[in-house]
């Protein structure tokens, strides 16, 4: 999730659509930009590795993009039970992009889903909690790649 999505104005020209393989390079750019602008632990992978990772997962999970003026400014990648990625480009944060993507995930999975968020990413935690996700578990981060404390959040309809 991104840092400043907790309550800005809605955007009327926002379009959501399923991602296509040609979107992968832009998704990687959005992810890195959002991570760099957030209070998350630093990413451990350069652009080409993030791009390869997203491409390798394409088709095994559902991925939707958010576009403003035909430009991808955010995306969500999720499975039946997990929201794996929700990133919004810093210049589009606080404009309803993250909320629209999260609402889409909720609509696609009305029985609920889970996600992990870093303890340090307070803006993302506030964003998710304001939209009905609740804390289920905290860890010391020993099992994540960044080795940073994290929180398992759950949304139940």
């Amino acid at each position: 999730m991104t840092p400043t999505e907790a309550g800005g104005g809605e955007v009327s020209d926002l379009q959501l659509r399923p991602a296509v393989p040609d979107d992968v390079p832009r998704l990687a750019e959005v992810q890195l930009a959002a991570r760099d602008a957030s209070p998350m632990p630093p990413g451990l992978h350069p652009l080409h590795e993030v791009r390869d990772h997203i491409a390798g997962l394409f088709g095994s999970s559902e991925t939707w993009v958010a576009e403003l003026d035909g430009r991808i400014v955010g995306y969500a990648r999720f499975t039946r039970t997990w929201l794996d990625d929700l990133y919004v480009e810093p210049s589009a944060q606080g404009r309803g992009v993250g909320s629209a993507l999260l609402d889409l995930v909720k609509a696609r999975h009305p029985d609920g889903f889970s996600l992990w968020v870093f303890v340090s990413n307070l803006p993302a935690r506030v964003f998710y909690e304001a939209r009905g996700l609740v804390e289920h578990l905290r860890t010391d981060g020993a099992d994540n790649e960044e080795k940073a404390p994290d929180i398992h959040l759950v949304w139940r309809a």
Side-chain angles (χ1 to χ4, degrees):
M1 180 52 216
T2 56
T4 58
E5 191 72 17
E10 293 289 319
V11 286
S12 59
D13 56 347
L14 180 68
Q15 299 293 316
L16 302 180
R17 65 165 174 81
V20 297
D22 286 347
D23 295 329
V24 168
R26 180 67 184 137
L27 302 184
E29 292 170 358
V30 167
Q31 182 183 126
L32 289 178
R35 280 193 71 127
D36 286 349
S38 75
M40 295 171 65
L44 302 175
H45 302 281
L47 179 62
H48 74 278
E49 289 180 8
V50 173
R51 189 175 43 240
D52 291 348
H53 177 73
I54 294 170
L57 295 170
F58 207 87
S60 66
S61 53
E62 200 169 340
T63 306
W64 285 70
V65 300
E67 292 183 328
L68 288 173
D69 300 322
R71 184 169 176 268
I72 294 172
V73 295
Y75 80 96
R77 185 178 61 82
F78 50 96
T79 65
R80 301 281 314 142
T81 56
W82 288 97
L83 173 54
D84 294 303
D85 294 338
L86 196 162
Y87 291 102
V88 176
E89 174 181 276
S91 67
Q93 291 173 10
R95 298 176 59 193
V97 176
S99 294
L101 287 165
L102 186 61
D103 287 347
L104 175 109
V105 175
K106 288 178 176 180
R108 305 278 302 162
H109 299 291
D111 293 331
F113 57 89
S114 298
L115 62 89
W116 289 98
V117 63
F118 290 109
V119 170
S120 64
N121 196 350
L122 182 59
R125 292 170 40 208
V126 168
F127 169 84
Y128 288 123
E129 290 167 5
R131 286 154 184 83
L133 283 86
V134 296
E135 184 175 326
H136 176 70
L137 173 73
R138 284 183 183 236
T139 80
D140 63 3
D143 292 332
N144 67 48
E145 189 175 45
E146 293 85 354
K147 304 299 180 212
D150 54 6
I151 303 171
H152 177 211
L153 297 176
V154 176
W155 183 76
R156 294 181 181 93

